[in-house]
Amino acid sequence: MDIHVGDVLELKKEHPCGSRRWAVLRVGMDFRLRCQGCGHELMLPRSKAEKSVKKIHRAGEELS
């Protein structure tokens, strides 16, 4: 999967704050993500993050 820093991922499950969108802060073996709703940051293993991605919004695209 082709994910870059600055992309916004829409995940299958909601965060407890109600948001499904996460900004990508770091890529590698783990992804560092920031919730677009409440600002919470977390690290996820690449395999788990790639399984839970529903849609990728590329950096520079307008979000709907």
Side-chain angles (χ1 to χ4, degrees):
M1 196 172 276
D2 193 28
I3 298 174
H4 303 285
V5 173
D7 292 347
V8 175
L9 306 179
E10 190 170 327
L11 303 183
K12 293 176 185 174
K13 285 185 75 176
E14 281 187 353
H15 189 246
C17 74
S19 176
R20 290 178 188 247
R21 294 186 182 206
W22 294 80
V24 178
L25 304 177
R26 174 174 139 10
V27 294
M29 286 297 292
D30 297 320
F31 287 166
R32 181 171 210 63
L33 304 174
R34 178 183 294 139
C35 178
Q36 296 290 284
C38 64
H40 181 79
E41 290 187 15
L42 57 86
M43 294 282 283
L44 273 181
R46 177 181 279 271
S47 58
K48 188 169 183 173
E50 287 181 345
K51 284 181 191 174
S52 63
V53 171
K54 186 174 183 181
K55 188 173 182 182
I56 301 171
H57 302 277
R58 297 284 172 209
E61 284 184 1
E62 188 167 321
L63 296 175
S64 54

